[in-house]
Structures are given as structure tokens and as C-alpha cells.
Amino acid sequence: YGLAKSGISSFKFLKKNNKVFLFDDNKKISLNKLYKKNLISIDHIKKLKFDSIILSPGIDINNCALSKYLKKNLKKIYTDLDIFYSFYKNLCITITGTNGKSTTCQLIYQVLKKQKIDVRLAGNIGYPILSIKNINKKTIFVIEASSYQLQYSKIFKSKFAVILNISPDHLERHKTINNYVTAKFKLIKNQNKNSTAFINKNDKLIQNKIKKN
């Protein structure tokens, strides 16, 4: 659901071994023949039973054409980050926060690259995670994760997780600052015991969330 970069990359990744349907709120969206062939209508969606719903980060389930349908099927909603994790278990360094995500990701990427490490930059920084090619077991990922991506992710885990800072942002989507902070903290909450998290100890919203937990 949603045919921007992440939606299209998810389709390309999954179509070889799965039956994948496409949907976008914009009926006038420009698509090639392959995509048009798999594009379906709302009426068609309601007649089918889906195993999973892959939601693009830009889709707000409270303000979209399939709002009621998505709310009824929350357990089936996943993100491209979830798909990635289900296929690959590579070492990931995932950065989130309100400000400085892209800069931090770029710096870490450049440092690792200069050490001749097979490192890839992906996520909200402009390179959908499922668009990355030629991955091997030693490939390391530096991922920029937005609150939109984390909000709907269910199984994605990152060996190293970083929350740089949190200040009020995207509240038109998250509605409350608590919802926004909770979305960011999913990155840490989903980690296992062998993972490492880095947080800004001087950030009030981060500290308040830690105290509540």
C-alpha cells in the first residue's frame, strides 16, 4: 500500500516468489505496465484475503482510503524493514531521532567505508532497504529510521540502535508527543539481550520515557 520508493522496492523484492497486489490512494499515479497489471481497486481488496499488508511509511491509517480496512487488519500490517529482517540477519546500525539522523548515518557510513568494510546506507535517507543489491553475510547496514517506519514495524531488530534526540514533530500524524516518543522507542524495545542501544542522556523526553518504563 503506497507506491513511492519503498512501496515499489517492496514489490520488486517480493514478486518473484509471491503473489503481490498494489494499491495507492492516487488513482492518477503514473506506472509502467508491470505495476498497472498488479494494481487493484478497493472493491477488489475487500473480496480478497491477504497474508500480509506491506504499508509504506507515508501512509497514515487514520487518513487514507483504506483506513477502516487497515484498522481491522492491524495484525497483518508490516513494513519494508520487517521484510528485510525476515530475509537477512545482517549487522545493522539503526539511527532515529528528530534531528541529525541523516548526518549521523552519513558519518558512520563514511567511517566504516574507509575501513574497507562492506557497508550500505539505507532507509529513510533515500535508499529503500529492499532496493539494496549484492548483499552477503558480512554486509553491514547503516539505516536511517523515521517514526513513520518504526510506528508500524513489528519484527525488525537492529544490533545497534541509536536515538539521537526527540522534540515535538510530525504530531499531525502521531497526534500526541507520547505517541511520537513511543514510535521512536520501538527501535530499542524490539532489541534482544545481545544488542546495544545508545541514547541521549540529556534529552528530557528520552529520559522521561525511560523513567516511565
Side-chain angles (χ1 to χ4, degrees):
Y1 187 177
L3 300 180
K5 286 183 178 181
S6 65
I8 293 299
S9 65
S10 296
F11 171 72
K12 288 180 177 179
F13 185 88
L14 292 168
K15 68 181 178 65
K16 294 179 182 179
N17 301 306
N18 302 273
K19 191 171 185 180
V20 185
F21 296 95
L22 302 173
F23 182 80
D24 195 281
D25 287 356
N26 182 6
K27 295 180 180 180
K28 296 181 180 180
I29 192 170
S30 179
L31 300 170
N32 65 30
K33 290 182 180 179
L34 175 62
Y35 303 143
K36 284 184 178 180
K37 183 180 179 181
N38 292 274
L39 197 65
I40 58 176
S41 65
I42 291 179
D43 291 335
H44 195 181
I45 288 172
K46 293 178 179 178
K47 294 177 183 178
L48 295 174
K49 185 177 181 180
F50 299 98
D51 296 310
S52 301
I53 302 168
I54 311 305
L55 202 64
S56 292
I59 303 298
D60 179 1
I61 66 170
N62 294 306
N63 185 27
C64 64
L66 291 176
S67 182
K68 290 182 179 180
Y69 180 83
L70 293 177
K71 288 177 180 179
K72 288 180 181 179
N73 292 276
L74 283 173
K75 291 182 179 180
K76 293 183 178 182
I77 294 177
Y78 295 91
T79 68
D80 58 345
L81 290 177
D82 292 324
I83 299 172
F84 167 79
Y85 185 77
S86 69
F87 280 87
Y88 304 104
K89 296 298 184 288
N90 291 61
L91 190 152
C92 294
I93 304 168
T94 307
I95 315 295
T96 194
T98 303
N99 300 300
K101 295 188 296 296
S102 296
T103 301
T104 304
C105 285
Q106 285 283 2
L107 288 170
I108 294 173
Y109 170 76
Q110 292 298 334
V111 168
L112 294 176
K113 190 176 180 181
K114 286 185 178 181
Q115 299 301 315
K116 308 300 181 183
I117 293 171
D118 180 18
V119 59
R120 311 297 174 83
L121 195 59
N124 193 57
I125 200 165
Y127 309 102
I129 193 76
L130 296 178
S131 69
I132 308 300
K133 307 295 184 184
N134 303 316
I135 299 169
N136 60 62
K137 291 182 179 180
K138 292 184 178 181
T139 303
I140 294 175
F141 285 83
V142 177
I143 303 170
E144 179 183 328
S146 71
S147 60
Y148 292 171
Q149 289 173 301
L150 296 171
Q151 182 180 15
Y152 299 125
S153 67
K154 286 184 172 66
I155 65 173
F156 174 71
K157 290 179 175 61
S158 183
K159 174 70 175 177
F160 298 99
V162 182
I163 302 180
L164 297 173
N165 48 60
I166 300 179
S167 57
D169 198 15
H170 302 305
L171 298 188
E172 73 285 351
R173 166 86 166 254
H174 295 290
K175 305 305 180 185
T176 69
I177 187 63
N178 184 59
N179 290 341
Y180 177 58
V181 173
T182 299
K184 294 290 189 184
F185 263 78
K186 282 187 74 175
L187 181 60
I188 292 177
K189 186 178 180 180
N190 289 352
Q191 286 185 298
N192 57 38
K193 293 181 179 179
N194 297 318
S195 301
T196 303
F198 299 89
I199 59 170
N200 183 347
K201 68 177 184 179
N202 296 317
D203 189 290
K204 290 183 179 180
L205 288 172
I206 291 175
Q207 286 302 314
N208 289 339
K209 181 66 174 178
I210 292 172
K211 289 177 181 178
K212 288 181 181 178
N213 290 339

